[in-house]
Amino acid sequence: NKLVILHSDASHATLSPMDVYKEAEQLAKVPMLAGLKPSKLKLLTFTSELVTLEPGQILFHRGEPSDCTFVIMQGMAEVLATGQDGRPLVVLNLGIHELIGEMGAITNAPRIASVRAANQLLVLRIERDTFLGLLSENSDVALDVMQQLTNKLAKSHAQAEQLEIAL
């Protein structure tokens, strides 16, 4: 299995290949993946990697290529924008079993935001082609991704309204 450096800030992140049988059982608990056959879950674990980040570590930066997507297995992630003062501003918090980076993976566009670990974060890194294959071959997975995207848009809109009121 390969070691992948996500970018310079994540060079201290721990990347590890997944134990196929154990991790397939873990993935079956993720609502988005729960309907997949055991053989598909094993294939997904074989082609994916677990990434561990410490609090404050950056998973990826805005503008980087969207070559993969992530599923949060443990911990919380913060989606960041740049505030008027130039400092990072948390615009969205994501938790267990939520997706990160799916918009860019679907559209093949650069990352639209930076993401950092709010606490110790364990994510499953899924290559873009594998993720797109999951969507095209499994309507339940595609529907779940659409629901997650819709929920994120609603949360982001509410957060933007809160920021406008605060200003």
Side-chain angles (χ1 to χ4, degrees), residues 6-26:
L6 302 175
H7 59 75
S8 59
D9 286 1
S11 62
H12 299 292
T14 304
L15 291 112
S16 55
M18 300 177 71
D19 176 299
V20 175
Y21 296 102
K22 184 174 129 186
E23 298 304 331
E25 290 176 10
Q26 279 284 105

Side-chain angles (χ1 to χ4, degrees), residues 99-155:
L99 281 172
I100 305 172
E102 72 282 7
M103 284 189 266
I106 291 169
T107 63
N108 199 25
R111 306 281 187 197
I112 62 169
S114 297
V115 174
R116 75 176 171 207
N119 52 20
Q120 188 169 45
L121 181 66
L122 178 66
V123 293
L124 176 67
R125 183 183 192 278
I126 303 170
E127 290 293 326
R128 179 178 182 271
D129 290 343
T130 302
F131 178 70
L132 294 177
L134 274 175
L135 295 182
S136 65
E137 296 168 13
N138 303 281
S139 60
D140 289 344
V141 173
L143 180 59
D144 191 277
V145 169
M146 286 189 287
Q147 289 170 336
Q148 287 195 49
L149 280 169
T150 302
N151 289 339
K152 279 185 194 175
L153 289 172
K155 283 182 192 178

Side-chain angles (χ1 to χ4, degrees), residues 151-163:
N151 289 339
K152 279 185 194 175
L153 289 172
K155 283 182 192 178
S156 295
H157 181 73
Q159 186 81 0
E161 286 181 340
Q162 291 286 333
L163 289 172

Side-chain angles (χ1 to χ4, degrees), residues 63-131:
E64 290 182 347
S66 297
D67 60 346
C68 64
T69 189
F70 300 90
V71 178
I72 298 176
M73 302 304 286
Q74 293 176 355
M76 295 284 295
E78 298 171 324
V79 179
L80 306 172
T82 303
Q84 290 181 336
D85 60 0
R87 294 184 5 197
L89 178 67
V90 177
V91 294
L92 189 62
N93 289 297
L94 300 172
I96 192 163
H97 298 158
E98 289 191 86
L99 281 172
I100 305 172
E102 72 282 7
M103 284 189 266
I106 291 169
T107 63
N108 199 25
R111 306 281 187 197
I112 62 169
S114 297
V115 174
R116 75 176 171 207
N119 52 20
Q120 188 169 45
L121 181 66
L122 178 66
V123 293
L124 176 67
R125 183 183 192 278
I126 303 170
E127 290 293 326
R128 179 178 182 271
D129 290 343
T130 302
F131 178 70

Side-chain angles (χ1 to χ4, degrees), residues 36-47:
L36 293 179
K37 294 178 183 174
S39 60
K40 292 252 187 203
L41 289 172
K42 288 176 189 165
L43 180 61
L44 182 59
T45 60
F46 185 72
T47 60

